[in-house]
Amino acid sequence: MKVIVVGINHAGTSAIRTLLTQNPELKVTAYDRNTNISFLGCGIALAVGGMVKNMQDLFYCDQIRLEDMGAEVHMEHDVTSIDYRNKTVTVVDLKTGAAKQDSYDKLIYAAGSWPMDIPGIPEKNAHLENVMLCKLYQHAAELVKKADEPEIRSVAVIGAGYIGIELAEAYRQKGKKVTLIDFENRVTARYYDPEFTDRLEEDIRASGVTLALGERVVDFRGEGGRVAAVVTDKGEYPADLVVKAIGFKPNTELLPDAEKVSNGAIKVNGRMETSLPDIYAIGDAAAMYHAALRQPMQVALATNAVKSGLAAACAVNGVAGVQIESVAGTNALCVFGNNLASTGLCETVAKAMGMDVGSSFIEDADRPEFMQDYGVTWIKLVYEKSTLRLVGAQIGSRGEVNHTEVIYFLALAIQKSMGLLDIAFTDVYFLPHFNKPFNFILTAILKVVGLDYEAVKKRV
Ligand SMILES: Cc1cc2nc3c(=O)[nH]c(=O)nc-3n(C[C@H](O)[C@H](O)[C@H](O)COP(=O)(O)OP(=O)(O)OC[C@H]3O[C@@H](n4cnc5c(N)ncnc54)[C@H](O)[C@@H]3O)c2cc1C
């Protein structure tokens, strides 16, 4: 059997390594248009800020390692079409321009995603020097270099999602004047509710970063071919460097007949099978079943990329019992002194999607107050009103206090469709060094069912 893998970054690498570890005799041919494999984008802001000194440390695999496992790897090869009826692909060698056809028995589609462009920018200003993207190693190398250039005094980051905020912090650490712009009224509005973003915005502003929220970028102003300012519908911000980080679009044009969700990601089942015969989609190109929403949705994260690669490879190799029932969109953020994690849907997003949800937010000491020091943690649970099914959770704290890992257990609860009372009676430990007998998760749940002991104490 011959397997073709299209795209060799996190999802493709995971698939290839699993395919050949399980079945060294398998014929695997892989194509990627880029020059490198397995670059960890999560390290870009860390390298800009100076925490990561050597960007080569952000790779965990390469062409030689995959070839040593038995794969035939073609870098700088662009797959330009896929004929799923005849099971062939057309590939162009980007160094020579030569095109060829290749055939497969099974195809794993791991072409990932690409940063979205800002709509409506006049063509004459759309390609000014120093207007950059943040995705590849090549982008990272430039972004890191610019951080040390004294002539780059001001930086505008467009998009206040997790990538934009991390970059804003990193350039601020490098002493730049930073503006973070987003058309939403809050930062990270898709993952966190105001109880979390209000605090984060306070800390972002305190660091000296200018927040331009509720503003839509309409143009760039250039001087001598270089960007000099970002123009929004409400103002203009000086910028010697602009980073566009407004989100990612799945690269799925090569499979126009595959069933897709509204943003273009390809619908897959738990084995990563698409609606097309013998074609599997993985990583950012795929939309898996979202446990909170109860429908397929793309969650573009490395965690899902590597796991979906593993599941597709197991399916191709006929390994039974490995499938991904669902995803929950679990993510974390460590910026401006805030330690945040969320899973499922936040209340604002769940309501915008028409779900009838309630929520419980508390702020509490993480350990008994009789301990000499304890930290403050805030947690929010979002649940379906009719069933008390958990559909989202957010947790936050500042500084040395970090409880983000409890989100693992809440993600599992969402994926297993657990109700708040099931979660309340999970048999977790209590030890004063670590938590309270009525820990913050239990307390937040009890509030939903009318057992707010603190409120009663206040009444008395
Ligand atoms: C700055 C940044 C920070 C991030 N931080 C985190 C984080 O902290 N945690 C987390 O979980 N996720 C994070 N992510 C998301 C994560 O990197 C992506 O979810 C992940 O890269 C998806 O992997 P993928 O292999 O599906 O797709 P991609 O990484 O997009 O790779 C797709 C590959 O396919 C190739 N390709 C595409 N089309 C073709 C074609 N037609 N022919 C040949 N080759 C093709 C591309 O060259 C590319 O190598 C971050 C992403 C970025 C950009």
mmCIF file of all heavy atoms in Angstrom, residues 6-12 31-34 41-42 44 77-79 110-113 134-135 162-163 248 251 254 282-285 300-303 305, ligand 1:
data_model
loop_
_atom_site.group_PDB
_atom_site.id
_atom_site.type_symbol
_atom_site.label_atom_id
_atom_site.label_comp_id
_atom_site.label_asym_id
_atom_site.label_seq_id
_atom_site.Cartn_x
_atom_site.Cartn_y
_atom_site.Cartn_z
ATOM 1 N N VAL A 6 0.227 15.031 2.271
ATOM 2 C CA VAL A 6 0.347 16.390 1.713
ATOM 3 C C VAL A 6 0.506 17.359 2.888
ATOM 4 O O VAL A 6 -0.426 17.559 3.659
ATOM 5 C CB VAL A 6 -0.902 16.770 0.886
ATOM 6 C CG1 VAL A 6 -0.772 18.191 0.339
ATOM 7 C CG2 VAL A 6 -1.131 15.774 -0.226
ATOM 8 N N GLY A 7 1.699 17.944 3.020
ATOM 9 C CA GLY A 7 1.948 18.849 4.146
ATOM 10 C C GLY A 7 2.694 18.121 5.247
ATOM 11 O O GLY A 7 2.241 17.081 5.733
ATOM 12 N N ILE A 8 3.882 18.666 5.606
ATOM 13 C CA ILE A 8 4.692 17.966 6.628
ATOM 14 C C ILE A 8 5.053 18.936 7.737
ATOM 15 O O ILE A 8 6.231 19.223 7.975
ATOM 16 C CB ILE A 8 5.998 17.370 6.037
ATOM 17 C CG1 ILE A 8 5.811 16.889 4.601
ATOM 18 C CG2 ILE A 8 6.508 16.253 6.927
ATOM 19 C CD1 ILE A 8 7.100 16.428 3.942
ATOM 20 N N ASN A 9 4.031 19.488 8.392
ATOM 21 C CA ASN A 9 4.386 20.217 9.608
ATOM 22 C C ASN A 9 3.911 19.381 10.799
ATOM 23 O O ASN A 9 4.139 18.170 10.790
ATOM 24 C CB ASN A 9 3.831 21.646 9.573
ATOM 25 C CG ASN A 9 4.656 22.556 10.481
ATOM 26 O OD1 ASN A 9 5.820 22.290 10.724
ATOM 27 N ND2 ASN A 9 4.056 23.608 10.985
ATOM 28 N N HIS A 10 3.248 19.955 11.787
ATOM 29 C CA HIS A 10 2.969 19.168 13.003
ATOM 30 C C HIS A 10 2.062 17.972 12.734
ATOM 31 O O HIS A 10 2.336 16.858 13.185
ATOM 32 C CB HIS A 10 2.373 20.065 14.082
ATOM 33 C CG HIS A 10 3.278 21.201 14.414
ATOM 34 N ND1 HIS A 10 4.563 21.010 14.838
ATOM 35 C CD2 HIS A 10 3.113 22.544 14.310
ATOM 36 C CE1 HIS A 10 5.154 22.175 15.015
ATOM 37 N NE2 HIS A 10 4.290 23.125 14.701
ATOM 38 N N ALA A 11 0.979 18.192 11.983
ATOM 39 C CA ALA A 11 0.048 17.087 11.735
ATOM 40 C C ALA A 11 0.694 16.035 10.828
ATOM 41 O O ALA A 11 0.664 14.835 11.123
ATOM 42 C CB ALA A 11 -1.237 17.633 11.103
ATOM 43 N N GLY A 12 1.299 16.494 9.723
ATOM 44 C CA GLY A 12 1.914 15.559 8.774
ATOM 45 C C GLY A 12 3.047 14.777 9.416
ATOM 46 O O GLY A 12 3.170 13.558 9.229
ATOM 47 N N TYR A 31 4.995 15.340 0.675
ATOM 48 C CA TYR A 31 5.348 16.570 -0.038
ATOM 49 C C TYR A 31 5.077 17.775 0.846
ATOM 50 O O TYR A 31 4.039 17.837 1.522
ATOM 51 C CB TYR A 31 4.495 16.719 -1.301
ATOM 52 C CG TYR A 31 4.725 15.638 -2.318
ATOM 53 C CD1 TYR A 31 3.834 14.571 -2.447
ATOM 54 C CD2 TYR A 31 5.836 15.685 -3.165
ATOM 55 C CE1 TYR A 31 4.047 13.572 -3.385
ATOM 56 C CE2 TYR A 31 6.060 14.682 -4.103
ATOM 57 C CZ TYR A 31 5.167 13.638 -4.209
ATOM 58 O OH TYR A 31 5.379 12.652 -5.129
ATOM 59 N N ASP A 32 5.986 18.755 0.808
ATOM 60 C CA ASP A 32 5.714 20.038 1.458
ATOM 61 C C ASP A 32 6.336 21.158 0.631
ATOM 62 O O ASP A 32 7.454 21.030 0.130
ATOM 63 C CB ASP A 32 6.281 20.079 2.887
ATOM 64 C CG ASP A 32 5.624 21.186 3.697
ATOM 65 O OD1 ASP A 32 5.813 22.387 3.372
ATOM 66 O OD2 ASP A 32 4.879 20.864 4.640
ATOM 67 N N ARG A 33 5.614 22.265 0.535
ATOM 68 C CA ARG A 33 6.110 23.384 -0.277
ATOM 69 C C ARG A 33 7.172 24.206 0.472
ATOM 70 O O ARG A 33 7.897 24.976 -0.132
ATOM 71 C CB ARG A 33 4.954 24.276 -0.713
ATOM 72 C CG ARG A 33 4.106 24.797 0.448
ATOM 73 C CD ARG A 33 3.259 25.986 0.024
ATOM 74 N NE ARG A 33 2.139 25.627 -0.801
ATOM 75 C CZ ARG A 33 0.879 25.994 -0.568
ATOM 76 N NH1 ARG A 33 0.597 26.707 0.515
ATOM 77 N NH2 ARG A 33 -0.080 25.660 -1.393
ATOM 78 N N ASN A 34 7.249 24.030 1.764
ATOM 79 C CA ASN A 34 8.200 24.811 2.563
ATOM 80 C C ASN A 34 9.581 24.146 2.552
ATOM 81 O O ASN A 34 9.758 23.057 1.983
ATOM 82 C CB ASN A 34 7.658 24.935 3.993
ATOM 83 C CG ASN A 34 8.265 26.099 4.760
ATOM 84 O OD1 ASN A 34 9.146 26.800 4.250
ATOM 85 N ND2 ASN A 34 7.805 26.292 5.972
ATOM 86 N N GLY A 41 5.653 27.280 16.206
ATOM 87 C CA GLY A 41 5.270 28.700 16.184
ATOM 88 C C GLY A 41 5.090 29.267 17.579
ATOM 89 O O GLY A 41 5.267 30.473 17.796
ATOM 90 N N CYS A 42 4.772 28.392 18.544
ATOM 91 C CA CYS A 42 4.573 28.865 19.921
ATOM 92 C C CYS A 42 5.835 29.516 20.476
ATOM 93 O O CYS A 42 5.782 30.247 21.462
ATOM 94 C CB CYS A 42 4.140 27.713 20.813
ATOM 95 S SG CYS A 42 5.334 26.371 20.805
ATOM 96 N N ILE A 44 7.742 31.651 18.752
ATOM 97 C CA ILE A 44 8.120 32.890 18.050
ATOM 98 C C ILE A 44 8.179 34.072 19.031
ATOM 99 O O ILE A 44 9.191 34.782 19.101
ATOM 100 C CB ILE A 44 7.163 33.208 16.872
ATOM 101 C CG1 ILE A 44 7.203 32.077 15.830
ATOM 102 C CG2 ILE A 44 7.553 34.544 16.228
ATOM 103 C CD1 ILE A 44 6.283 32.285 14.631
ATOM 104 N N HIS A 77 8.119 21.148 -2.661
ATOM 105 C CA HIS A 77 7.242 20.560 -3.680
ATOM 106 C C HIS A 77 5.811 20.951 -3.351
ATOM 107 O O HIS A 77 5.329 20.662 -2.246
ATOM 108 C CB HIS A 77 7.359 19.033 -3.708
ATOM 109 C CG HIS A 77 8.526 18.551 -4.504
ATOM 110 N ND1 HIS A 77 9.830 18.770 -4.127
ATOM 111 C CD2 HIS A 77 8.583 17.871 -5.684
ATOM 112 C CE1 HIS A 77 10.649 18.248 -5.013
ATOM 113 N NE2 HIS A 77 9.922 17.694 -5.979
ATOM 114 N N ASP A 78 5.176 21.623 -4.297
ATOM 115 C CA ASP A 78 3.820 22.115 -4.090
ATOM 116 C C ASP A 78 2.827 21.137 -4.725
ATOM 117 O O ASP A 78 2.931 20.862 -5.930
ATOM 118 C CB ASP A 78 3.722 23.497 -4.762
ATOM 119 C CG ASP A 78 2.506 24.269 -4.312
ATOM 120 O OD1 ASP A 78 1.915 23.878 -3.280
ATOM 121 O OD2 ASP A 78 2.159 25.254 -4.991
ATOM 122 N N VAL A 79 1.905 20.626 -3.933
ATOM 123 C CA VAL A 79 0.843 19.792 -4.507
ATOM 124 C C VAL A 79 -0.195 20.751 -5.084
ATOM 125 O O VAL A 79 -0.758 21.576 -4.357
ATOM 126 C CB VAL A 79 0.231 18.865 -3.436
ATOM 127 C CG1 VAL A 79 -0.939 18.072 -4.013
ATOM 128 C CG2 VAL A 79 1.298 17.927 -2.888
ATOM 129 N N ALA A 110 -2.686 17.133 5.083
ATOM 130 C CA ALA A 110 -2.213 17.871 6.268
ATOM 131 C C ALA A 110 -1.677 19.235 5.835
ATOM 132 O O ALA A 110 -0.602 19.658 6.257
ATOM 133 C CB ALA A 110 -1.127 17.061 6.973
ATOM 134 N N ALA A 111 -2.454 19.919 4.964
ATOM 135 C CA ALA A 111 -1.963 21.173 4.374
ATOM 136 C C ALA A 111 -2.164 22.384 5.289
ATOM 137 O O ALA A 111 -1.795 23.509 4.932
ATOM 138 C CB ALA A 111 -2.626 21.416 3.024
ATOM 139 N N GLY A 112 -2.761 22.166 6.469
ATOM 140 C CA GLY A 112 -2.765 23.196 7.501
ATOM 141 C C GLY A 112 -3.542 24.451 7.181
ATOM 142 O O GLY A 112 -4.622 24.413 6.561
ATOM 143 N N SER A 113 -2.973 25.582 7.586
ATOM 144 C CA SER A 113 -3.693 26.855 7.471
ATOM 145 C C SER A 113 -2.704 27.968 7.145
ATOM 146 O O SER A 113 -1.489 27.786 7.257
ATOM 147 C CB SER A 113 -4.379 27.161 8.800
ATOM 148 O OG SER A 113 -3.407 27.279 9.812
ATOM 149 N N CYS A 134 3.020 36.110 10.867
ATOM 150 C CA CYS A 134 3.663 35.359 11.949
ATOM 151 C C CYS A 134 3.184 33.917 11.879
ATOM 152 O O CYS A 134 2.122 33.588 12.417
ATOM 153 C CB CYS A 134 3.287 36.001 13.284
ATOM 154 S SG CYS A 134 3.955 35.134 14.703
ATOM 155 N N LYS A 135 3.933 33.077 11.166
ATOM 156 C CA LYS A 135 3.522 31.670 11.054
ATOM 157 C C LYS A 135 4.742 30.766 10.910
ATOM 158 O O LYS A 135 4.953 29.857 11.688
ATOM 159 C CB LYS A 135 2.581 31.532 9.844
ATOM 160 C CG LYS A 135 2.376 30.110 9.325
ATOM 161 C CD LYS A 135 1.169 29.437 9.900
ATOM 162 C CE LYS A 135 1.027 28.004 9.416
ATOM 163 N NZ LYS A 135 0.009 27.250 10.094
ATOM 164 N N TYR A 162 -4.429 35.075 20.938
ATOM 165 C CA TYR A 162 -3.270 34.698 21.757
ATOM 166 C C TYR A 162 -1.949 35.036 21.080
ATOM 167 O O TYR A 162 -0.995 35.460 21.740
ATOM 168 C CB TYR A 162 -3.354 33.231 22.205
ATOM 169 C CG TYR A 162 -3.136 32.189 21.131
ATOM 170 C CD1 TYR A 162 -1.884 31.622 20.937
ATOM 171 C CD2 TYR A 162 -4.176 31.746 20.328
ATOM 172 C CE1 TYR A 162 -1.677 30.659 19.951
ATOM 173 C CE2 TYR A 162 -3.979 30.793 19.351
ATOM 174 C CZ TYR A 162 -2.722 30.256 19.168
ATOM 175 O OH TYR A 162 -2.522 29.313 18.192
ATOM 176 N N ILE A 163 -1.857 34.915 19.754
ATOM 177 C CA ILE A 163 -0.587 35.203 19.077
ATOM 178 C C ILE A 163 -0.285 36.703 19.145
ATOM 179 O O ILE A 163 0.829 37.117 19.451
ATOM 180 C CB ILE A 163 -0.632 34.713 17.616
ATOM 181 C CG1 ILE A 163 -0.717 33.188 17.602
ATOM 182 C CG2 ILE A 163 0.593 35.196 16.827
ATOM 183 C CD1 ILE A 163 -0.941 32.583 16.233
ATOM 184 N N PHE A 248 -6.427 32.404 11.152
ATOM 185 C CA PHE A 248 -5.911 31.512 10.112
ATOM 186 C C PHE A 248 -7.054 30.908 9.306
ATOM 187 O O PHE A 248 -8.112 30.608 9.851
ATOM 188 C CB PHE A 248 -5.107 30.368 10.764
ATOM 189 C CG PHE A 248 -3.872 30.879 11.438
ATOM 190 C CD1 PHE A 248 -3.915 31.289 12.764
ATOM 191 C CD2 PHE A 248 -2.683 30.991 10.749
ATOM 192 C CE1 PHE A 248 -2.792 31.787 13.389
ATOM 193 C CE2 PHE A 248 -1.548 31.485 11.360
ATOM 194 C CZ PHE A 248 -1.606 31.883 12.683
ATOM 195 N N ASN A 251 -6.195 25.634 4.580
ATOM 196 C CA ASN A 251 -5.803 25.466 3.169
ATOM 197 C C ASN A 251 -6.512 24.237 2.605
ATOM 198 O O ASN A 251 -5.955 23.137 2.625
ATOM 199 C CB ASN A 251 -4.292 25.197 3.065
ATOM 200 C CG ASN A 251 -3.449 26.354 3.532
ATOM 201 O OD1 ASN A 251 -3.811 27.498 3.325
ATOM 202 N ND2 ASN A 251 -2.332 26.061 4.159
ATOM 203 N N LEU A 254 -7.662 22.452 -2.358
ATOM 204 C CA LEU A 254 -7.312 21.298 -3.210
ATOM 205 C C LEU A 254 -8.376 20.193 -3.153
ATOM 206 O O LEU A 254 -8.329 19.276 -3.958
ATOM 207 C CB LEU A 254 -5.955 20.716 -2.788
ATOM 208 C CG LEU A 254 -4.736 21.589 -3.061
ATOM 209 C CD1 LEU A 254 -3.456 20.878 -2.640
ATOM 210 C CD2 LEU A 254 -4.652 21.948 -4.544
ATOM 211 N N ILE A 282 -6.253 16.079 8.490
ATOM 212 C CA ILE A 282 -5.769 16.221 9.873
ATOM 213 C C ILE A 282 -5.295 17.655 10.125
ATOM 214 O O ILE A 282 -5.107 18.441 9.195
ATOM 215 C CB ILE A 282 -4.621 15.224 10.166
ATOM 216 C CG1 ILE A 282 -3.450 15.392 9.180
ATOM 217 C CG2 ILE A 282 -5.125 13.794 10.113
ATOM 218 C CD1 ILE A 282 -2.257 14.474 9.466
ATOM 219 N N GLY A 283 -5.107 17.969 11.408
ATOM 220 C CA GLY A 283 -4.539 19.266 11.785
ATOM 221 C C GLY A 283 -5.463 20.436 11.478
ATOM 222 O O GLY A 283 -6.690 20.307 11.486
ATOM 223 N N ASP A 284 -4.851 21.576 11.179
ATOM 224 C CA ASP A 284 -5.630 22.807 10.957
ATOM 225 C C ASP A 284 -6.572 22.702 9.763
ATOM 226 O O ASP A 284 -7.493 23.521 9.621
ATOM 227 C CB ASP A 284 -4.688 24.001 10.728
ATOM 228 C CG ASP A 284 -4.038 24.498 12.014
ATOM 229 O OD1 ASP A 284 -4.242 23.868 13.063
ATOM 230 O OD2 ASP A 284 -3.324 25.521 11.964
ATOM 231 N N ALA A 285 -6.336 21.756 8.861
ATOM 232 C CA ALA A 285 -7.210 21.612 7.688
ATOM 233 C C ALA A 285 -8.526 20.909 8.022
ATOM 234 O O ALA A 285 -9.450 20.909 7.211
ATOM 235 C CB ALA A 285 -6.482 20.826 6.590
ATOM 236 N N ALA A 300 -7.821 25.167 15.582
ATOM 237 C CA ALA A 300 -6.474 25.190 14.986
ATOM 238 C C ALA A 300 -5.408 25.280 16.066
ATOM 239 O O ALA A 300 -4.917 26.364 16.389
ATOM 240 C CB ALA A 300 -6.375 26.365 14.012
ATOM 241 N N LEU A 301 -5.066 24.143 16.621
ATOM 242 C CA LEU A 301 -4.032 24.095 17.655
ATOM 243 C C LEU A 301 -3.113 22.908 17.417
ATOM 244 O O LEU A 301 -3.553 21.858 16.904
ATOM 245 C CB LEU A 301 -4.672 23.963 19.041
ATOM 246 C CG LEU A 301 -5.356 25.210 19.580
ATOM 247 C CD1 LEU A 301 -6.127 24.895 20.852
ATOM 248 C CD2 LEU A 301 -4.349 26.330 19.851
ATOM 249 N N ALA A 302 -1.857 23.064 17.833
ATOM 250 C CA ALA A 302 -0.875 21.998 17.641
ATOM 251 C C ALA A 302 -1.295 20.720 18.359
ATOM 252 O O ALA A 302 -1.012 19.606 17.891
ATOM 253 C CB ALA A 302 0.485 22.461 18.146
ATOM 254 N N THR A 303 -1.963 20.878 19.507
ATOM 255 C CA THR A 303 -2.413 19.698 20.264
ATOM 256 C C THR A 303 -3.282 18.807 19.384
ATOM 257 O O THR A 303 -3.107 17.588 19.329
ATOM 258 C CB THR A 303 -3.239 20.156 21.484
ATOM 259 O OG1 THR A 303 -4.126 21.194 21.059
ATOM 260 C CG2 THR A 303 -2.357 20.670 22.578
ATOM 261 N N ALA A 305 -3.415 18.939 16.097
ATOM 262 C CA ALA A 305 -2.673 18.535 14.897
ATOM 263 C C ALA A 305 -1.946 17.216 15.150
ATOM 264 O O ALA A 305 -2.056 16.271 14.365
ATOM 265 C CB ALA A 305 -1.683 19.631 14.499
HETATM 266 C C1 LIG B 1 2.720 31.977 16.174
HETATM 267 C C2 LIG B 1 1.959 30.725 16.484
HETATM 268 C C3 LIG B 1 1.878 30.266 17.783
HETATM 269 C C4 LIG B 1 1.179 29.099 18.079
HETATM 270 N N1 LIG B 1 1.127 28.668 19.384
HETATM 271 C C5 LIG B 1 0.468 27.522 19.673
HETATM 272 C C6 LIG B 1 0.442 27.016 21.006
HETATM 273 O O1 LIG B 1 1.037 27.598 21.920
HETATM 274 N N2 LIG B 1 -0.262 25.882 21.247
HETATM 275 C C7 LIG B 1 -0.914 25.202 20.262
HETATM 276 O O2 LIG B 1 -1.508 24.152 20.521
HETATM 277 N N3 LIG B 1 -0.902 25.662 18.977
HETATM 278 C C8 LIG B 1 -0.236 26.792 18.666
HETATM 279 N N4 LIG B 1 -0.211 27.259 17.375
HETATM 280 C C9 LIG B 1 -1.017 26.565 16.343
HETATM 281 C C10 LIG B 1 -0.253 25.454 15.693
HETATM 282 O O3 LIG B 1 1.015 25.882 15.276
HETATM 283 C C11 LIG B 1 -1.044 24.928 14.492
HETATM 284 O O4 LIG B 1 -2.277 24.451 14.970
HETATM 285 C C12 LIG B 1 -0.277 23.835 13.802
HETATM 286 O O5 LIG B 1 0.836 24.378 13.143
HETATM 287 C C13 LIG B 1 -1.132 23.083 12.779
HETATM 288 O O6 LIG B 1 -0.334 22.114 12.207
HETATM 289 P P1 LIG B 1 -0.659 21.541 10.769
HETATM 290 O O7 LIG B 1 0.453 20.593 10.456
HETATM 291 O O8 LIG B 1 -2.053 21.070 10.699
HETATM 292 O O9 LIG B 1 -0.621 22.793 9.787
HETATM 293 P P2 LIG B 1 0.526 23.811 9.376
HETATM 294 O O10 LIG B 1 1.419 24.091 10.527
HETATM 295 O O11 LIG B 1 -0.171 24.944 8.736
HETATM 296 O O12 LIG B 1 1.366 23.012 8.289
HETATM 297 C C14 LIG B 1 0.854 22.707 7.024
HETATM 298 C C15 LIG B 1 1.999 22.320 6.117
HETATM 299 O O13 LIG B 1 1.458 22.013 4.843
HETATM 300 C C16 LIG B 1 2.274 22.589 3.820
HETATM 301 N N5 LIG B 1 1.423 22.794 2.651
HETATM 302 C C17 LIG B 1 0.267 23.499 2.578
HETATM 303 N N6 LIG B 1 -0.270 23.400 1.353
HETATM 304 C C18 LIG B 1 0.551 22.620 0.621
HETATM 305 C C19 LIG B 1 0.546 22.144 -0.715
HETATM 306 N N7 LIG B 1 -0.460 22.454 -1.535
HETATM 307 N N8 LIG B 1 1.572 21.383 -1.138
HETATM 308 C C20 LIG B 1 2.590 21.070 -0.296
HETATM 309 N N9 LIG B 1 2.649 21.478 0.979
HETATM 310 C C21 LIG B 1 1.638 22.228 1.444
HETATM 311 C C22 LIG B 1 2.793 23.876 4.443
HETATM 312 O O14 LIG B 1 3.987 24.298 3.823
HETATM 313 C C23 LIG B 1 2.996 23.445 5.901
HETATM 314 O O15 LIG B 1 4.311 22.963 6.131
HETATM 315 C C24 LIG B 1 0.511 28.402 17.045
HETATM 316 C C25 LIG B 1 0.594 28.864 15.728
HETATM 317 C C26 LIG B 1 1.314 30.012 15.443
HETATM 318 C C27 LIG B 1 1.401 30.490 14.026
#
